């Protein structure tokens, strides 16, 4: 029992240390987020996690074969920090051809969803592959290469996708796979 208590104490101490580091980083990052994404009167909140792409293209669900958004709130800012040196790329951004939408809000999402359902009802499901160029229903508007130890920040409601080479292997080893840190930033509540 004493060993368990020591490990729990060490775990809680580590968590406290990480929370303090996050808070200090947000204090430094806050002015840049304010400049590019609008002032957050009470500072910024952050959620972050590691991500490792391991699903082979043939196993993707239909929704994973399309560009996506991380929500419809334009105040949410997404960040990708690239921690890999693989042949897989960074992040691509898209415009939906028939609606002209590049970002989605609560107001535009129903029109977008109806258009996507109608298009794929006519043309069938997208091929079992990661979206790279967006065709036939999306146009790629920009690509961030995703070099090691570089980050990209963007509004989470912009249509985007990871640039995954469909022909290259996907390693489940974080030392050799497409490892990133994904984070969301939101203005803190008052």
């Amino acid at each position: 029992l004493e060993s368990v208590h020591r490990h729990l104490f060490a775990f809680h101490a580590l968590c406290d240390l990480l929370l303090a580091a996050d808070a200090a980083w947000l204090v430094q990052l806050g002015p840049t987020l304010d400049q590019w994404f609008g002032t957050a009167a009470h500072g910024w909140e952050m959620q972050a996690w590691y991500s490792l792409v391991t699903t082979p293209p043939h196993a993707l669900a239909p929704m994973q074969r399309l560009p996506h958004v991380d929500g419809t709130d334009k105040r949410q800012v997404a960040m990708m920090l690239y921690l890999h040196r693989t042949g897989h790329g960074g992040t691509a951004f898209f415009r939906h051809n028939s609606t002209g939408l590049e970002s989605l809000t609560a107001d535009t999402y129903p029109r977008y969803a109806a258009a996507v359902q109608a298009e794929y009802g006519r043309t069938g499901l997208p091929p079992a592959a990661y979206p790279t160029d967006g065709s036939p229903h999306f146009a790629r508007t920009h690509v961030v290469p995703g070099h090691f130890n570089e980050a990209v920040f963007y509004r989470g409601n912009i249509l985007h996708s990871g640039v995954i080479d469909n022909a290259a292997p996907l390693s489940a080893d974080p030392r050799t796979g497409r490892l990133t840190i994904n984070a969301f930033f939101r203005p803190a509540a008052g």
Side-chain angles (χ1 to χ4, degrees):
L1 188 59
E2 184 178 323
S3 174
V4 170
H5 286 289
R6 274 192 307 233
H7 284 96
L8 283 176
F9 176 77
F11 175 76
H12 287 291
L14 177 61
C15 289
D16 290 343
L17 181 63
L18 291 173
L19 288 173
D22 284 349
W25 189 61
L26 279 174
V27 167
Q28 290 182 335
L29 184 61
T32 302
L33 292 171
D34 287 345
Q35 176 185 355
W36 290 100
F37 298 103
T39 301
H42 302 286
W44 293 86
E45 297 175 337
M46 178 183 79
Q47 292 178 304
W49 55 93
Y50 288 101
S51 176
L52 183 63
V53 177
T54 59
T55 304
H58 72 272
L60 292 172
M63 288 303 296
Q64 292 175 298
R65 305 172 194 173
L66 301 173
H68 67 278
V69 295
D70 300 321
T72 57
D73 183 355
K74 69 179 183 177
R75 295 173 303 158
Q76 178 174 277
V77 175
M79 179 205 75
M80 294 285 295
L81 173 60
Y82 306 100
L83 299 175
H84 65 91
R85 290 184 168 106
T86 68
H88 299 290
T91 303
F93 299 91
F94 298 89
R95 177 180 45 256
H96 182 241
N97 292 333
S98 70
T99 63
L101 294 170
E102 294 185 29
S103 61
L104 303 179
T105 65
D107 292 337
T108 61
Y109 180 78
R111 178 168 57 101
Y112 166 79
V116 168
Q117 288 175 354
E119 289 164 352
Y120 287 106
R122 286 190 306 275
T123 62
L125 291 175
Y130 286 96
T132 54
D133 64 1
S135 63
H137 302 296
F138 295 85
R140 190 168 66 184
T141 58
H142 185 71
V143 176
V144 174
H147 298 293
F148 176 77
N149 207 30
E150 289 183 352
V152 60
F153 291 79
Y154 53 92
R155 294 191 188 281
N157 71 329
I158 295 174
L159 288 163
H160 64 279
S161 180
V163 179
I164 310 300
D165 182 344
N166 286 293
L170 293 168
S171 174
D173 182 340
R175 294 169 298 180
T176 58
R178 186 183 185 273
L179 180 66
T180 59
I181 292 179
N182 305 358
F184 292 129
F185 300 88
R186 287 198 172 136

